[in-house]
């Protein structure tokens, strides 16, 4: 996510509703998979390990991301582990499974016709390994243990088709994972808090209510 648009302003909004927030600056191109995934896994472990020092609940960690960051959000929601109990570094002993994920106008699938080609190329290179394309098409990686999810998208998004969010929501439904999906009729890609669009801007209040219901 862009720190000046989809980073710090989002953290400040979360702060305004009583939720502590951290902005992750993860590795992007020229770095490729699994760098970004390792970064977010480490971030979740780190926050969980030092939760008492920060005065926060280490059993209530969520991950929120936009667009390609939304793909990373659905990736950590489907590619996590319980930690390595034998690790020398105590942080690596922590689970990296979040308790909630919030993908916003996310890239979810790496398969045509609905993927965002630039995101797939940045993640896996020009010649993408079909095995990795399958593994990182996160709609196919959902299980009943996938964290509760809040998704939103706009129906006329020309950059990342709304089918990405719908595919993920469908997979959550099939696996009986609690989720909430909001699709707005109109709105360009990359709206962030959507302060310029009063209709789409309602996503923050809806998400805040959902987070409260998840006991965040």
């Amino acid at each position: 996510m862009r720190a000046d648009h989809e980073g710090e302003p989002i953290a400040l909004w979360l702060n305004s509703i009583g939720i502590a927030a951290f902005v992750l600056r993860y590795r992007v191109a020229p770095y490729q998979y699994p760098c970004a995934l390792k970064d977010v896994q480490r971030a979740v472990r780190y926050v969980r390990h030092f939760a008492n020092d920060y005065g926060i609940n280490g059993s209530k960690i969520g991950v929120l991301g936009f667009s390609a960051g939304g793909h990373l959000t659905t990736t950590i929601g489907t590619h996590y582990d319980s930690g390595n109990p034998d690790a020398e570094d105590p942080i690596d002993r922590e689970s990296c499974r979040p308790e909630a994920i919030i993908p916003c106008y996310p890239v979810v699938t790496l398969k045509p016709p609905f993927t965002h080609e630039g995101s797939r190329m940045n993640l896996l290179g020009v010649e993408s390994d079909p095995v990795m394309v399958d593994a990182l098409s996160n709609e196919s990686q959902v299980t009943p243990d996938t964290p509760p999810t809040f998704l939103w998208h706009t129906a006329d998004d020309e950059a990342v088709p709304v089918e990405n969010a719908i595919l993920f929501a469908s997979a959550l439904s099939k696996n009986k994972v609690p989720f909430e999906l909001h699709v707005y009729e109109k709105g360009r890609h990359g709206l962030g808090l959507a302060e310029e669009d009063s209709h789409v801007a309602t996503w923050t209040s809806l998400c805040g209510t959902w987070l409260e219901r998840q006991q965040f």
Side-chain angles (χ1 to χ4, degrees):
M1 65 172 63
R2 286 165 41 206
D4 62 342
H5 178 60
E6 297 163 336
E8 183 180 356
I10 306 302
L12 292 173
W13 158 65
L14 288 166
N15 293 163
S16 76
I17 60 172
I19 295 177
F22 301 79
V23 178
L24 173 64
R25 287 174 169 83
Y26 58 90
R27 287 171 288 180
V28 296
Y31 299 98
Q32 295 182 346
Y33 176 84
C35 291
L37 177 57
K38 287 184 178 294
D39 290 344
V40 70
Q41 288 176 333
R42 177 71 177 184
V44 173
R45 295 189 215 278
Y46 183 93
V47 172
R48 200 181 305 280
H49 185 74
F50 289 106
N52 288 339
D53 294 343
Y54 287 119
I56 61 177
N57 186 347
S59 64
K60 284 292 181 181
I61 296 176
V63 177
L64 182 157
F66 296 82
S67 193
H71 183 267
L72 185 58
T73 301
T74 61
T75 304
I76 187 62
T78 52
H79 298 70
Y80 52 80
D81 60 61
S82 59
N84 178 3
D86 300 320
E88 182 176 346
D89 184 345
I91 294 173
D92 288 333
R93 300 172 199 160
E94 302 283 358
S95 167
C96 65
R97 178 190 181 273
E99 281 71 48
I101 58 172
I102 304 173
C104 308
Y105 41 87
V107 177
V108 172
T109 188
L110 298 187
K111 299 177 182 179
F114 300 127
T115 191
H116 181 261
E117 295 290 347
S119 295
R120 182 173 69 179
M121 183 177 67
N122 287 337
L123 193 63
L124 296 177
V126 176
E127 299 296 331
S128 303
D129 181 348
V131 173
M132 292 309 304
V133 169
D134 286 340
L136 294 172
S137 289
N138 293 325
E139 76 280 6
S140 64
Q141 304 301 319
V142 173
T143 72
D145 191 49
T146 298
T149 303
F150 180 98
L151 302 116
W152 72 273
H153 217 117
T154 55
D156 65 345
D157 190 324
E158 295 183 355
V160 177
V162 69
E163 282 83 0
N164 281 266
I166 293 171
L167 284 168
F168 200 73
S170 178
L172 294 168
S173 179
K174 288 175 183 176
N175 284 275
K176 303 189 184 309
V177 176
F179 75 95
E180 194 162 309
L181 169 66
H182 296 273
V183 178
Y184 294 92
E185 179 186 5
K186 294 185 179 298
R188 64 171 177 81
H189 187 73
L191 280 170
L193 287 172
E195 293 171 313
E196 67 193 64
D197 187 320
S198 61
H199 180 48
V200 181
T202 61
W203 81 264
T204 54
S205 60
L206 294 167
C207 185
T209 300
W210 181 82
L211 282 166
E212 186 176 1
R213 293 214 327 261
Q214 302 303 314
Q215 299 183 334
F216 274 76

